Amino acid sequence: MKIITTDNYKDMSQLGAEILRDVIKGKPNATLGLATGSTVLGTYAQLCKMYSDGDISFADVKTVNLDEYVGLDGSNEQSYAYYMRTNLFNCVDIDMSNTHIPRGDALDLASECKRYDSLLASLPRDVQLLGLGSNGHIAFNEPGSPFDARTRVVRLEDSTVYDNSRLFTRVEDVPKMAITMGIADIMSAKQVLLLASGLNKAQAVKAMVHGQVCVNCPASILQRHPNVIVVLDKQAASLL
Ligand code: GLP
């Protein structure tokens, strides 16, 4: 695990974008595993800028997202599909048919999980971008998630519903269920790039980097991945 501590959110975001840019420049038809949440917003903004500056093209890039709330369709402003269009896809030259996000509005969620896992098998990820939950979750793999888990429907912890409620009008509006790639799916990416920012992530970062590899901190499994880069700001790194 390579740990890089930057001065602030802006520098973390810039470095995250540069790492992804290098993957795309090295392989213009790369498959990127993408994440949502506040942490990666700055990185997406930088990627949009790199595209508008003519530095990179997404024309042949393929993407697969980590997760989606159950019950929200892509037109819902709180859906991760909407987030991805707003914060990245609409700003670059990506072919939308090359972008993939679990369907939270699928009528048959079990089939949707199977479909997504087949898709992941056909699209090996060159890099998987990750944020980190304050409870150590990656994607929506909450503490206790088995390390061999594949794409499935999960119930969110109260702490995750609370953390994510800042983006909703009321905490009651936050969906309690999600479809998420499993930890085994995340571990199958060739490279993992995890970003974390802010004091509220410091404890989870410490457990991820120095704690026992244990299901209580799902991100700790990344200690066993051969190619992980963790980019932090000072606050997130403050307990290392
Ligand atoms: C969310 C998402 C994760 C994300 C994490 C951190 O619940 N499912 O994929 O990485 O929590 O979110 P944020 O960056 O907003 O702190």
Side-chain angles (χ1 to χ4, degrees), residues 47-99:
L47 287 173
C48 292
K49 183 167 185 310
M50 288 169 181
Y51 165 72
S52 61
D53 289 347
D55 196 12
I56 45 172
S57 166
F58 288 76
D60 296 318
V61 167
K62 297 179 275 296
T63 67
V64 281
N65 262 75
L66 287 170
D67 45 19
E68 179 61 282
Y69 288 118
V70 164
L72 303 191
D73 69 44
S75 66
N76 187 305
E77 289 185 19
Q78 302 295 353
S79 71
Y80 287 163
Y82 187 96
Y83 168 108
M84 289 309 304
R85 288 199 305 278
T86 310
N87 295 301
L88 182 64
F89 298 156
N90 287 352
C91 316
V92 299
D93 61 343
I94 200 159
D95 176 346
M96 284 304 289
S97 68
N98 284 333
T99 69

Side-chain angles (χ1 to χ4, degrees), residues 9 34-41 66-69 80 83 129-135 137-142 156 160-161 163-164 166-167 178 180 195-197 200-201:
Y9 178 81
L34 296 180
T36 51
S38 309
T39 310
V40 294
L41 281 172
L66 287 170
D67 45 19
E68 179 61 282
Y69 288 118
Y80 287 163
Y83 168 108
L129 177 64
L130 292 178
L132 178 67
S134 62
N135 63 0
H137 76 218
I138 44 178
F140 272 132
N141 293 283
E142 299 282 33
L156 306 184
T160 298
V161 170
D163 282 351
N164 291 358
R166 68 189 188 283
L167 306 169
T180 184
L195 307 182
S197 161
N200 69 324
K201 301 293 173 72

